């Protein structure tokens, strides 16, 4: 089994980032100098992914523009001698082979992923949620791909979250099979306290087999009236083996204001061009 393709669902309304997300896709909101989606595509590329499908929706064409050439801007920059900047802009457009599809009705994450069926065909594929930004030595997607390829099955990225937080995520029934690795037996989206299976929750990264599509096609609306990817995963793990990896790295949910602030500060601190300035600015504030 070889994972070559990735799908980035980025069609959601982003209500937690309103009013900014009213006219700017939340995936395009700037984090330490780059839009959030830049970090996601870079992670996929660094994981060895060759082709990427981004699922967008109305009002999100800025995402497509970001991964396109910009001839007028480039020629203006060339004329003023800013060739390094031109090179940087070209590198973004050439970073990956990216294609786009629109989700015309926002019926949930499961419905969004179903839009990738023609793109992935029978191949296994990675899913990277468009607002979950990771910081890790080995790209989180690569950690999942390595295990999915080794065991020939789906592998989802999990972390243990606080008991008070698990109702915001999905909970997984898991059995340890090795260091940081588990077999998955059950999943429940947004569990009530009596339904919590474990504190492990999926945080924005998956490697899935094409077996998911049959289940998504038959899926009924679940929590919040949406077609939930979790519900289809709950069926998939009963038909095929599914692993969960407690991945190494840190995850920021840039789709809410606090996660966005955390990501902005942490990624700015990791950027040598601005970290010294930021540290001294923050020291000044602390005085
Ligand atoms: P979220 O629930 O985090 O994103 O969905 P959202 O719906 O945009 O945000 P809020 O809750 O309104 O603030 C998880 C991922 O699934 C995508 C989102 O873009 C996000 O990457 N998604 C969600 C879709 O692509 N389509 C949908 O119909 C729903």
């Amino acid at each position: 089994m070889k994972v070559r393709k990735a799908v980035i669902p980025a069609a959601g309304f982003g209500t937690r980032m309103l009013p900014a997300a009213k006219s700017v896709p939340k995936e395009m909101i700037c984090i330490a100098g780059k839009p959030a989606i830049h970090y996601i595509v870079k992670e996929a590329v660094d994981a060895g992914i060759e082709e990427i499908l981004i699922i967008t929706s109305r009002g999100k064409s800025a995402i497509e523009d970001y991964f396109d050439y910009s001839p007028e801007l480039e020629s203006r920059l060339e004329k003023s001698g800013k060739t390094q900047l031109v090179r940087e802009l070209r590198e973004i457009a050439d970073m990956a082979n990216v294609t786009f599809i629109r989700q015309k009705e926002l019926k949930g994450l499961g419905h969004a992923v179903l839009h990738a069926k023609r793109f992935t065909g029978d191949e296994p594929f990675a899913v990277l949620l468009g607002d979950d930004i990771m910081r890790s030595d080995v790209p989180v997607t690569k950690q999942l791909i390595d295990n999915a390829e080794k065991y020939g099955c789906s592998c989802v990225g999990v972390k243990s979250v606080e008991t008070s937080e698990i109702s915001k995520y999905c909970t997984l029934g898991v059995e340890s099979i090795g260091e940081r690795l588990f077999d998955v037996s059950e999943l429940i989206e947004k569990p009530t306290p009596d339904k919590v299976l474990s504190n492990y929750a999926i945080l924005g990264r998956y490697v899935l087999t094409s077996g998911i599509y049959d289940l998504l096609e038959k899926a009924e609306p679940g929590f919040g009236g949406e077609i939930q990817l979790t519900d289809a995963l709950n069926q998939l793990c009963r038909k095929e083996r599914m692993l969960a990896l407690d991945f190494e790295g840190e995850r920021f949910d840039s789709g809410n204001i606090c996660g966005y602030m955390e990501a902005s500060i942490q990624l700015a601190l990791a950027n040598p061009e601005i970290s010294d300035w930021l540290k001294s600015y923050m020291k000044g504030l602390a005085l």
Side-chain angles (χ1 to χ4, degrees):
M1 166 166 159
K2 177 93 186 110
V3 183
R4 298 185 312 110
K5 294 182 177 177
V7 176
I8 303 180
F13 283 121
T15 48
R16 288 166 298 154
M17 289 299 272
L18 288 171
K22 184 182 173 201
S23 55
V24 180
K26 66 174 171 178
E27 298 79 10
M28 289 303 295
I29 292 176
C30 177
I31 296 178
K34 297 188 182 96
I37 192 96
H38 181 109
Y39 298 100
I40 315 269
V41 169
K42 178 89 170 49
E43 179 189 325
V45 171
D46 290 346
I49 290 293
E50 295 162 17
E51 287 179 57
I52 296 172
L53 176 72
I54 301 183
I55 298 161
T56 66
S57 55
R58 269 183 300 286
K60 297 222 178 192
S61 51
I63 301 178
E64 296 178 42
D65 293 342
Y66 186 73
F67 293 103
D68 197 357
Y69 290 148
S70 183
E72 284 179 8
L73 173 61
E74 288 168 18
S75 107
R76 172 71 66 88
L77 292 170
E78 286 278 10
K79 276 184 197 142
S80 41
K82 295 184 175 155
T83 45
Q84 172 58 22
L85 202 46
V86 174
R87 216 170 298 130
E88 279 175 37
L89 295 185
R90 280 276 157 157
E91 270 170 25
I92 292 165
D94 293 334
M95 184 158 64
N97 187 3
V98 187
T99 50
F100 299 87
I101 191 166
R102 278 198 184 202
Q103 187 185 8
K104 292 180 191 149
E105 285 179 283
L106 301 188
K107 293 185 181 172
L109 176 59
H111 181 250
V113 170
L114 189 52
H115 284 65
K117 187 176 177 189
R118 198 174 292 170
F119 169 75
T120 63
D122 291 337
E123 293 186 39
F125 58 99
V127 177
L128 297 85
L129 298 192
D131 46 11
D132 281 319
I133 295 181
M134 303 293 178
R135 197 177 59 170
S136 59
D137 292 337
V138 177
V140 173
T141 298
K142 170 100 172 66
Q143 298 176 39
L144 299 187
I145 289 175
D146 286 348
N147 282 287
E149 289 182 347
K150 181 171 171 195
Y151 292 93
C153 65
S154 298
C155 182
V156 297
V158 300
K159 282 258 169 235
S160 180
V161 303
E162 297 288 334
T163 304
S164 57
E165 293 283 295
I166 190 75
S167 64
K168 294 183 191 162
Y169 299 92
C170 72
T171 176
L172 290 91
V174 290
E175 192 181 325
S176 174
I177 57 160
E179 206 192 338
R180 309 182 81 101
L181 201 58
F182 305 86
D183 262 323
V184 181
S185 57
E186 193 178 351
L187 299 96
I188 301 175
E189 182 67 23
K190 311 263 186 318
T192 50
D194 56 316
K195 294 269 169 63
V196 173
L197 303 166
S198 76
N199 281 27
Y200 284 107
I202 300 179
L203 296 186
R205 297 292 184 270
Y206 316 68
V207 171
L208 303 176
T209 66
S210 60
I212 196 73
Y213 292 124
D214 273 352
L215 302 167
L216 286 173
E217 269 163 359
K218 293 182 202 129
E220 298 288 334
F223 184 89
E226 297 191 339
I227 306 286
Q228 295 288 350
L229 181 59
T230 304
D231 294 345
L233 292 176
N234 184 40
Q235 290 177 283
L236 189 66
C237 72
R238 291 153 202 265
K239 292 178 71 176
E240 305 174 357
R241 189 172 195 190
M242 182 183 295
L243 298 175
L245 178 72
D246 181 357
F247 60 81
E248 292 190 55
E250 214 179 336
R251 168 258 191 186
F252 307 102
D253 177 4
S254 71
N256 74 75
I257 188 69
C258 294
Y260 159 75
M261 294 301 296
E262 276 172 21
S264 300
I265 293 169
Q266 293 289 354
L267 295 182
L269 287 173
N271 179 340
E273 284 176 28
I274 41 181
S275 64
D276 285 346
W277 169 82
L278 182 60
K279 277 181 206 158
S280 80
Y281 178 68
M282 285 164 67
K283 261 188 212 149
L285 288 181
L287 282 174

